Amino acid sequence: MSLALDPAAQDLLFREARSANTFTDEPVTDEQVRAIYDLVKYGPTAMNQSPLRVTLVRSAEARERLVPHMAEGNRTKTATAPLVAILSADNEFHEELPHLFPHFPQAKDAVFSERPVRESSAALNAGLQAAYFIVGVRAAGLAAGPMSGFDYEGVRKEFLDDDHTPLMIVNIGRPGQDAWYPRSPRLEYEQVVTSV
């Protein structure tokens, strides 16, 4: 059985897509970022809570504030990527639920009144949205370099607030010279999927 998605699109989004480590200096425009968001916002989250928040690091001043919080191996590529996105989970996402989940507007208080419940749900669902975001970057013909090697608390204090938990930082742009490491192995179907 084949997939409904065109093989070229499958390659663009998955088979040929890689995490980029170098980028050209071609800028990533606001229009490209909006197009990415306007596509990936349709990915599912529990109760449509949509807790992902994206902070775009564009200015030289903001980049200088971010780079020291990156792990040593991530500093140069973050300093030189055309665009850097800080992806975070909004732990106060429940404030939007009456609008986002209108058939159960009471969910805001009935399900998510306690902060630990919100934090757990926000982390999971924003993580899903972060994956959609990476695929959306690829759909735009750009490369993404997602990273978890950074000082989370430092980034939160520098760019966010107590209501937002950083999840990952993503460098975005056109791949540059020697952008790819060799592809690492993947688990096979039989190693992952079981039937009961």
Side-chain angles (χ1 to χ4, degrees), residues 29-30 33-34 54-59 62 83-87 133 159 170 172:
T29 67
D30 290 334
V33 176
R34 180 175 291 278
V54 180
T55 303
L56 299 177
V57 179
R58 287 199 179 276
S59 71
L83 181 63
V84 181
I86 301 169
L87 305 188
F133 183 85
F159 292 94
V170 184
I172 303 168

Side-chain angles (χ1 to χ4, degrees), residues 107-171:
K108 174 185 177 237
D109 298 314
V111 180
F112 296 111
S113 63
E114 296 180 14
R115 175 73 178 235
V117 173
R118 292 196 305 274
E119 288 178 351
S120 175
S121 192
L124 172 64
N125 287 281
L128 284 172
Q129 288 185 284
Y132 305 146
F133 183 85
I134 292 166
V135 173
V137 168
R138 294 171 175 179
L142 300 170
M147 300 168 290
S148 58
F150 63 94
D151 174 1
Y152 284 71
E153 185 60 16
V155 167
R156 188 193 62 74
K157 286 181 178 177
E158 190 72 39
F159 292 94
L160 306 171
D161 59 31
D162 290 340
D163 291 332
H164 293 79
T165 303
L167 300 172
M168 69 179 66
I169 294 175
V170 184
N171 293 329

Side-chain angles (χ1 to χ4, degrees), residues 29-124:
T29 67
D30 290 334
E31 292 77 18
Q32 286 172 302
V33 176
R34 180 175 291 278
I36 291 165
Y37 176 73
D38 285 342
L39 174 65
V40 304
K41 68 183 179 185
Y42 294 109
T45 57
M47 292 185 165
N48 198 34
Q49 61 190 248
S50 306
L52 182 71
R53 301 297 178 263
V54 180
T55 303
L56 299 177
V57 179
R58 287 199 179 276
S59 71
E61 181 271 331
R63 192 78 57 111
E64 288 174 10
R65 290 169 38 219
L66 175 62
V67 168
H69 296 289
M70 303 304 296
E72 185 64 38
N74 292 332
R75 289 181 181 171
T76 299
K77 54 189 168 184
T78 302
T80 58
L83 181 63
V84 181
I86 301 169
L87 305 188
S88 64
D90 182 357
N91 297 308
E92 297 298 311
F93 68 86
H94 69 308
E95 297 294 342
E96 302 293 338
L97 282 180
H99 167 70
L100 293 173
F101 204 57
H103 49 284
F104 183 28
Q106 306 89 334
K108 174 185 177 237
D109 298 314
V111 180
F112 296 111
S113 63
E114 296 180 14
R115 175 73 178 235
V117 173
R118 292 196 305 274
E119 288 178 351
S120 175
S121 192
L124 172 64

Side-chain angles (χ1 to χ4, degrees), residues 15-31:
R15 291 192 196 98
E16 299 299 324
R18 309 286 291 282
S19 293
N21 293 288
T22 67
F23 298 89
T24 69
D25 59 2
E26 181 180 333
V28 177
T29 67
D30 290 334
E31 292 77 18

